[in-house]
Amino acid sequence: MNKNDCLRVGTYANTHGIRGEIKVYPHTDDVTRFSELNSVMLDTRDGLLEYGIESVKYFKNMAIIKFKGIDNINDIERYKGSDIYITRDQAVPLDDDEYFLCDIIDADVTDDEGHMIGTIKEVLQTGANDVYVVRREGLKDLLIPVIPACVLDVNTVEKKVVVHLIPGLSDI
């Protein structure tokens, strides 16, 4: 399985106790999502390793996961810092106006007059609203807030985003 075909749902932040449980920092809107999963994959230096989930509990903003067959801290500690992935068929269904952030990375960004601006290189999650970081040829990156006044259309199939550059947003 290629991790480009998967969705990142968390990062293994630390161990929890000595019985092989791990603390997971979620990269999902709903931390309790982990309770619905039967297995996940850890992105290790050995590639993607699939682990069945034995149990999940929650503490503060973290999920604490116990994998099947991992009963000792020494069996899992070496993978600390690994990202945790699921397959797309394990993902929650999306509404029509929703998309996975990974599906717009490298999308072409044009303004509402059809001029090419650049490509999305990452999405910052600020709490108030997301921000597209747009890589531009020969210029510094442009930060575009993901708000209705700026982002007019997102097409994940064609990997195209249309934006309106409000005054003061761009230096050109």
Side-chain angles (χ1 to χ4, degrees), residues 11-15 22 42-47 49 51 67 70 73-84:
T11 300
Y12 168 11
N14 210 343
T15 56
I22 65 169
L42 285 179
D43 184 16
T44 71
R45 59 185 153 271
D46 301 323
L49 300 178
Y51 286 96
F67 293 131
I70 302 293
I73 188 174
N74 298 323
D75 296 335
I76 197 70
E77 188 171 34
R78 67 178 169 245
Y79 299 129
K80 190 185 316 184
S82 297
D83 284 328
I84 297 173

Side-chain angles (χ1 to χ4, degrees), residues 46-117:
D46 301 323
L48 288 178
L49 300 178
E50 186 170 4
Y51 286 96
I53 295 177
E54 184 174 306
S55 66
V56 180
K57 55 189 174 186
Y58 302 95
F59 182 71
K60 296 187 178 177
N61 65 337
M62 306 282 258
I64 299 172
I65 298 177
K66 170 81 171 75
F67 293 131
K68 293 177 183 172
I70 302 293
D71 298 314
N72 185 307
I73 188 174
N74 298 323
D75 296 335
I76 197 70
E77 188 171 34
R78 67 178 169 245
Y79 299 129
K80 190 185 316 184
S82 297
D83 284 328
I84 297 173
Y85 289 86
I86 60 170
T87 58
R88 284 190 180 263
D89 63 331
Q90 292 174 294
V92 295
L94 297 175
D95 290 336
D96 289 340
D97 61 341
E98 294 179 318
Y99 53 89
F100 295 112
L101 296 181
C102 63
D103 290 337
I104 61 163
I105 300 300
D106 295 326
D108 289 336
V109 180
T110 58
D111 66 17
D112 46 358
E113 296 176 2
H115 300 106
M116 179 67 170
I117 297 171

Side-chain angles (χ1 to χ4, degrees), residues 2 31 131 136 156:
N2 183 336
V31 68
V131 176
R136 300 184 293 173
T156 57

